[in-house]
Amino acid sequence: MEFDIVVENLVKRYGPVEAVRGISFQVRRGEIFGFLGPNGAGKTTTIHILATLLKPTSGKALVAGYDVVSEPDRVRKSIGIVFQDPSLDDNLTGYENLYIHGRLYGLNGQSLRERIEEALKFVELWDFRDRLVRSYSGGMRRRLEIARAMLHTPRILFLDEPTIGLDPQTRAHIWDYIKRLNREYGTTVFLTTHYMDEAEMLCDRIAIIDHGKIIAMGTAEELKSMVGSDVVYIKLGKPDADICSKLSIANVENCKIVEGGTVALQVRKATEAIPAILLHLDRLEVKVTEVSYRRPSLNDVFIHLTGREMRDSEGSFVEVARMMHRARMR
Amino acid sequence: MMESIYIMVYRQIKRFVRARSRIAGTIINNVLWLLFFGLGWAYTLRGQQFQVLFKGLDYLAFLLPATFATSIFQASFMGGISVIWDKQFGFLKEVLVAPAPRSLTILGRALGDSVVSLLNGLIMLAMGFALTSKLNPLGLPTALAIGFVMAVGFTSMGIAIASSMRSPEGFQLIVATITMPMTLLSGSMFPLNMTPQWMQILALISPLTYAVDLCRYYLTGVSFLDMVYPWLTQEVEILLLVTTSIILMIIAMRMFEKTTIE
């Protein structure tokens, strides 16, 4: 297994305050890895250390195989970064911003022009290339920053809260770009977010971070299975008091009649259990009119681990998924 | 290596060209200064007796080459504020995270801003050539070279101060407290050889004084320092100016290396 980011026992202290308190993790080559946590959890500090902008107090961090403290130049060459706060030159055009970036990263001539065109077209800003960034909307700026970060085809892309403050439709677009970058260019992505939906939508693996510590790590599925099982709701054609005895099959961990003809089944993985349950009921000739299931969310995971709720203010998962679908159809 | 220097020069000049209001502001400022201050004193000091005071120059010819130097000085020094703007608007992070060496990007930036302040000075000088016939066009290339050297020095000074500051207000305060006495002491508005000794000594500490004297010498043929201090030849002045500029540049590079984004 090849790792693009290896972090061991990283600590960052500001005076008496410990922003990052000994975190360790690895990011595989080509994966999208996310830091999920509330504001002030140490996400941005970590990204700044990995991007060589801050020196760690102790611990070790390798990015693209290079040590962030002793080989910052090599790290800088291998990464692209989109900061949480804007970092564009407002008084220049979109094209000029990319041009300066390209030259700072050692590109020039025809190949730079081609890269700029490709990057601007990738984020659909080619038509706006000669406009001053000052006149760009928030979403356009973010897209331009993504284009800039990918311009020098970095091996690893860092995104600090990539969709903070953006409207749902723009967020969906940004997600799409990030996924395509990862797929089409094989770019390893490390992102931070405090949106559960974003982490779930984008990340192959997620580390939940709180108060400078990683409190859980894994795929969204793995994390959710920490809090327990899925619940499948089945509405029957007509009420059946004996239904639970009929449903004692391997997949069902627990069975409860909720009300009327609806039965709640606790299963390990709803997506796998439902077909088996339906097949079983079909054989018993029990008529089913409706099936639904609820699974624990990442929010449930966070509550389970910390006893607090992580605020998720913008756009639910379903809503944005719908938007994204619509955007793609257009 | 030249790459990183070039691209920052490109950026600074591009930004200047974009900022039309800034250019207009500079020109208006210069015109007002020359008109109300320069002409006012030129008429007041018109008589024969003053010719001696200014060693055969009229006041405008005395003032203009010096104003060329002081306007470059003020513009250069003020240029440091853009480092703070870049901190506030975030562009600095983009430069800091780039693989290009920081010392070279800041050098490029200083050179770019120097070209910009030199343009400021040129506008001033162009008006000077229109107002008086006493300026020697043959001295122009040397004066420009001196202007550039001092621009690099003072831009670096501005950058060095700005690198350790957070707010533009604080920077402006420092700039104001430094530029005013330096401009007044530089001998740009009155002949330094007439001033009391302690004032001359203070003046000689400031590199701007040499720049003013040099520009005046190459554009009019008259120096007001070498008669009081015979050891202070043009060559020595140039040496002092170049040395200070280089030192200031190295300080700026060091300070910028240490800049963080916190």
Side-chain angles (χ1 to χ4, degrees), chain B residues 24-180:
Chain B
T26 309
I27 295 178
I28 291 169
N29 253 331
N30 289 347
V31 170
L32 291 181
W33 168 257
L34 281 182
L35 222 56
F36 298 150
F37 188 90
L39 279 183
W41 279 109
Y43 275 81
T44 314
L45 307 171
R46 221 168 5 171
Q48 276 298 321
Q49 66 274 36
F50 298 115
Q51 292 273 311
V52 185
L53 197 59
F54 297 116
K55 292 192 180 178
L57 298 176
D58 59 37
Y59 187 70
L60 267 184
F62 170 83
L63 179 72
L64 277 164
T67 312
F68 167 69
T70 52
S71 67
I72 290 176
F73 162 65
Q74 282 159 1
S76 307
F77 205 29
M78 206 55 211
I81 204 169
S82 68
V83 171
I84 298 179
W85 283 337
D86 280 355
K87 255 186 212 178
Q88 290 198 324
F89 294 112
F91 183 75
L92 199 67
K93 279 183 287 195
E94 154 78 356
V95 177
L96 292 180
V97 83
R102 290 178 186 182
S103 52
L104 295 184
T105 51
I106 202 63
L107 178 62
R109 188 182 186 118
L111 293 178
D113 279 340
S114 302
V115 172
V116 168
S117 14
L118 197 60
L119 287 174
N120 272 324
L122 261 182
I123 294 171
M124 197 78 174
L125 208 53
M127 280 186 278
F129 275 103
L131 282 172
T132 169
S133 55
K134 293 253 171 65
L135 297 183
N136 174 15
L138 292 179
L140 195 58
T142 324
L144 285 180
I146 291 163
F148 188 71
V149 170
M150 66 174 280
V152 172
F154 290 120
T155 308
S156 304
M157 194 165 157
I159 288 172
I161 293 173
S163 293
S164 55
M165 303 213 51
R166 223 161 268 223
S167 76
E169 291 80 11
F171 181 76
Q172 257 155 344
L173 196 74
I174 289 188
V175 167
T177 47
I178 296 180
T179 50
M180 204 191 40

Side-chain angles (χ1 to χ4, degrees), chain A residues 28 34 45 53 55 61 66 71 152 169 189 289 294 311:
Chain A
R28 295 180 195 125
T45 306
L53 286 172
K55 292 237 177 333
Y66 304 115
E71 302 163 289
H152 54 288
Q169 197 180 337
V189 178
T289 57
R294 195 184 75 84
R311 284 266 158 257

Side-chain angles (χ1 to χ4, degrees), chain B residues 70 73 177-193 195-210 212-213 216 225:
Chain B
T70 52
F73 162 65
T177 47
I178 296 180
T179 50
M180 204 191 40
M182 273 177 81
T183 308
L184 292 175
L185 274 176
S186 67
S188 58
M189 294 171 231
F190 46 80
L192 266 183
N193 54 331
T195 59
Q197 180 103 43
W198 61 266
M199 203 167 172
Q200 291 183 15
I201 290 169
L202 279 181
L204 288 180
I205 296 171
S206 146
L208 180 61
T209 311
Y210 306 114
V212 164
D213 196 56
R216 189 177 282 139
L225 283 179

Side-chain angles (χ1 to χ4, degrees), chain A residues 143-194:
Chain A
R143 275 148 62 197
L144 185 64
E145 288 185 303
I146 290 177
R148 188 176 68 177
M150 66 178 272
L151 189 71
H152 54 288
T153 44
R155 188 163 138 189
I156 306 160
L157 182 64
F158 289 98
L159 301 156
D160 196 1
E161 297 276 6
T163 64
I164 197 164
L166 299 177
D167 61 90
Q169 197 180 337
T170 311
R171 298 182 73 203
H173 265 110
I174 303 261
W175 289 350
D176 205 27
Y177 297 139
I178 297 171
K179 282 194 158 167
R180 273 176 48 210
L181 256 176
N182 174 254
R183 230 177 16 237
E184 292 170 22
Y185 296 85
T187 313
T188 305
V189 178
F190 178 95
L191 64 88
T192 72
T193 183
H194 68 285

Side-chain angles (χ1 to χ4, degrees), chain A residues 54 89 96 101 103 105, chain B residues 3 11 14-15 18 94:
Chain A
L54 280 179
D89 190 328
E96 286 162 351
H101 178 91
R103 298 290 295 245
Y105 281 76
Chain B
E3 192 81 339
R11 180 206 177 220
K14 198 108 206 178
R15 275 172 70 94
R18 284 282 151 65
E94 154 78 356

